[in-house]
Amino acid sequence: MRNALLNPATCFFGLVLLLLVGVAIAQIVDTEPGLTWQRPDADFSKYSKIHIKPLDLSDVKVLKPAWEQDDLTEWTFAPRATETIKDMYMEIMSNELSKNGGFALVAEDGEGVLQLELEFLSITPYIKPGASDADGHVIQTLGSGDVVVSAELRDSRTGTLLFLVEGERKIGTTYREIGPESHVANVEETFAAWGQRLRRYLDAAHGN
């Protein structure tokens, strides 16, 4: 998987997108700007299993930041990076939610199964996808961009919406030199942090 991410033809924007995914979903139990809603009678102690739906990137739009509006080229990410992004998302989230006697992970809906869904609506990277070397110049950015996300927790059997987060999220709080290795490390750390946060949230509902 890591070799695929480091492929020069596909890695940069795929890695930026991965980092954006991690930070966006990390806010699922927070109350940042945007719409955050929890069903008043939601009881997460009823759920001992989790069905993590594949990350939905089917309709994501890539937007340019204000300072790049004069660039007439279309900003896109390589389709080949999509499956790698989805696989990394699923692998790290699954590990964090299930390890050390955690929640059972299932591939089907049913009684006692909590369904997690995440969709990306748009992303705004701070620099053009593929511009990792900037013609030989070193680039440092405070984070990687903005993302508009829709994240849901549902009762998988009934489809009842229990928790919803929609809105824009910013990415990163540290200046870092743009490069594949640093993005991979940031993505791994961010996904792990999200998994741990959601795990604590659900463990608390179970009295743990």
Side-chain angles (χ1 to χ4, degrees), residues 177-198:
E177 181 178 334
I178 294 295
E181 292 82 2
S182 62
H183 279 300
V184 168
N186 288 333
V187 168
E188 291 174 339
E189 292 171 0
T190 303
F191 279 176
W194 168 80
Q196 292 160 11
R197 179 178 295 182
L198 182 57

Side-chain angles (χ1 to χ4, degrees), residues 135-153:
D135 297 324
H137 298 287
V138 174
I139 297 178
Q140 288 191 336
T141 61
L142 182 61
S144 297
D146 302 322
V147 57
V148 177
V149 62
S150 176
E152 300 178 353
L153 292 174

